Amino acid sequence: MKLLRVEILVAAEQEDLFVGYLAQRISWGWEVEAAEASRTRFVIYFEKDADAQDLVKAVRGQWPEADCSVSTFEDRDWSESWKEFFVPVRIRDTFMVLPPWLNSETDAGGLIPLYIEPKMAFGTGHHATTALCLQAVAMLREEQAVSESATFLDLGTGSGILALACAKLGMTGTALDIDPIAVDNARENFALNAVENVTVRRGALDILEQGRRFDLILANILSGPLVHMATDLVSHLQQPGGSLVLSGILRDQSPRVEAAYLALGLPTPRKLVQGEWVALIWSS
Ligand SMILES: C[S@@+](CC[C@H](N)C(=O)[O-])C[C@H]1O[C@@H](n2cnc3c(N)ncnc32)[C@H](O)[C@@H]1O
């Protein structure tokens, strides 16, 4: 049987969101024969020409920077191979981020499993900005800079992945996101992981009670908002003794973000770097 082969190349910074987008579109009922992916390259095989054209049209409309092409292909037996998109992500010796169809006994390798249902919210663990935050959480716990009874704020929770990591280490916290799709996906992921020690709310910093302080604050947002909200964010950080992790910062924007927080009296942060992305970490 001849299949239609749609190949999509996306930029590295779009990989995480695109995985979620594709997962959602596939779950809406396209008859996908097979699929394969290697980070920024996605190949989907369809039997029906209409489904292939539907995907191409949707991708060209919503992801104009992506390179999308169609060709014909001779079939082979690939049941459920689309799940190959979602390989586990290991974070130090602490966490393994997994799609829900994998098994924690065999696939988590003895690490703490973080099950994430890939949907339209950001945060499958594949993007550097998320991985850097997860590394920071693991590191801060290893160093005992945060205790298992610490309170945390996850600002811009997306899929809920960072809150999930903190909750699975025993901490209790609040996860906020302005996007209702993220709030739904985060709730779904907390239920999937049987995590109950996180309160999820839709909104930004202004919905928090004034004066409420957290032992750990995580914010994987972009440099501009991180600079803009610096005063508000620091007003919710327990001082002394609190830890702050900022991510979503491109290398060349890091000095500007750092300067905004130094101006508020915080010391020079530590940095974790992956590719072009930097995370800034304050702890005592
Ligand atoms: C890059 S994603 C991070 C998701 C997840 N925390 C992670 O690390 O993978 C940023 C998220 O922040 C949310 N967001 C952006 N600005 C926000 C704000 N001012 N307050 C709360 N959420 C915000 C977005 O809707 C998005 O879900």
Side-chain angles (χ1 to χ4, degrees), residues 18 25 45 48 67 86 96 111 136 155 195 228 272-273:
F18 194 78
R25 294 301 305 241
Y45 299 86
K48 290 189 194 146
D67 181 358
F86 310 110
M96 191 73 90
L111 306 185
L155 184 67
V195 155
H228 184 69
L272 287 177
V273 180

Side-chain angles (χ1 to χ4, degrees), residues 122-123 130 154-158 161-162 176-179 182 203-204 220-221 229:
F122 190 103
T130 312
D154 176 12
L155 184 67
T157 196
I161 188 168
L162 307 181
L176 301 181
D177 205 294
I178 50 176
D179 180 353
N220 178 10
I221 308 185
M229 65 175 64

Side-chain angles (χ1 to χ4, degrees), residues 161-175:
I161 188 168
L162 307 181
L164 192 57
C166 294
K168 286 216 170 174
L169 289 174
M171 300 178 223
T172 303
T174 298

Side-chain angles (χ1 to χ4, degrees), residues 6 12 32 51 57 71 79 84-85 124 170 178 208 221 224-225 230 240-241 268:
V6 179
V32 172
D51 286 343
K57 195 171 156 212
S71 55
S79 64
E84 288 172 22
F85 291 158
T124 60
I178 50 176
L208 290 177
I221 308 185
T268 303

Side-chain angles (χ1 to χ4, degrees), residues 17-75:
L17 273 184
F18 194 78
V19 167
Y21 168 78
L22 213 48
Q24 179 130 334
R25 294 301 305 241
I26 288 171
S27 69
W28 285 346
W30 277 336
E31 286 180 34
V32 172
E33 287 297 310
E36 50 188 354
S38 54
R39 303 204 72 90
T40 56
R41 178 174 168 272
F42 300 83
V43 187
I44 303 105
Y45 299 86
F46 294 95
E47 192 184 330
K48 290 189 194 146
D49 181 58
D51 286 343
Q53 296 307 336
D54 194 20
L55 173 62
V56 171
K57 195 171 156 212
V59 169
R60 288 190 175 144
Q62 290 193 40
W63 304 83
E65 318 78 21
D67 181 358
C68 186
S69 59
V70 193
S71 55
T72 52
F73 187 82
E74 211 53 60
D75 190 14

